[in-house]
Amino acid sequence: MTEREQRYIQDPLFWRAGAIAATIFMSMVLAALTIDTLRQITPGSPRVPSYDVINNSIAYQYDPARAEYAPKIGGEELIFDAFPALGNMSHDLFWWWWLVHLWVEATWEVLIGCIMACGP
């Protein structure tokens, strides 16, 4: 490597310009990929069903035309039956908070404490 090339590589402006160019290029790539991903995951698109299937039964059945298992959307089910269907969202979230914290703290943390207490 010549002395001129060594000076050029050791110059901080070279590395700063390289970092800025790489950041701008990768930001453009990230923006393009984000736009493409948002187009593909939009509800109602061929890849993502619309929101009205949330409480429906979803199972995989063999599709002879495609020669593979494919999702089959069935009738309505009460999937989120553990939570009361209250009209007020703040009441619903209040009871959800208690359910989650009582389950996590009263069950798993106590269980892990018992297992650790009985350890070697």
Side-chain angles (χ1 to χ4, degrees):
M1 197 179 296
T2 66
E3 183 181 328
R4 182 174 182 261
E5 290 173 340
Q6 284 181 345
R7 275 189 287 134
Y8 187 68
I9 290 174
Q10 292 174 352
D11 185 15
L13 293 176
F14 168 75
W15 295 107
R16 186 178 306 145
I20 290 170
T23 302
I24 290 171
F25 176 74
M26 291 310 295
S27 296
M28 291 187 315
V29 169
L30 181 63
L33 290 175
T34 301
I35 291 168
D36 180 55
T37 301
L38 288 174
R39 239 185 265 134
Q40 293 187 24
I41 64 170
T42 301
S45 67
R47 290 184 166 198
V48 182
S50 60
Y51 288 129
D52 59 354
V53 300
I54 289 178
N55 283 341
N56 289 12
S57 168
I58 300 175
Y60 282 92
Q61 292 181 343
Y62 187 75
D63 185 6
R66 295 169 59 183
E68 64 183 13
Y69 283 90
K72 171 81 170 126
I73 299 171
E76 197 168 306
E77 287 188 359
L78 294 175
I79 295 174
F80 301 112
D81 199 23
F83 303 110
L86 301 173
N88 189 339
M89 187 68 154
S90 62
H91 288 172
D92 197 24
L93 290 175
F94 172 79
W95 291 113
W96 173 83
W97 188 91
W98 282 106
L99 178 75
V100 168
H101 285 83
L102 289 176
W103 168 249
V104 171
E105 293 168 7
T107 305
W108 292 108
E109 290 179 6
V110 172
L111 178 66
I112 295 300
C114 292
I115 290 172
M116 292 179 72
C118 296

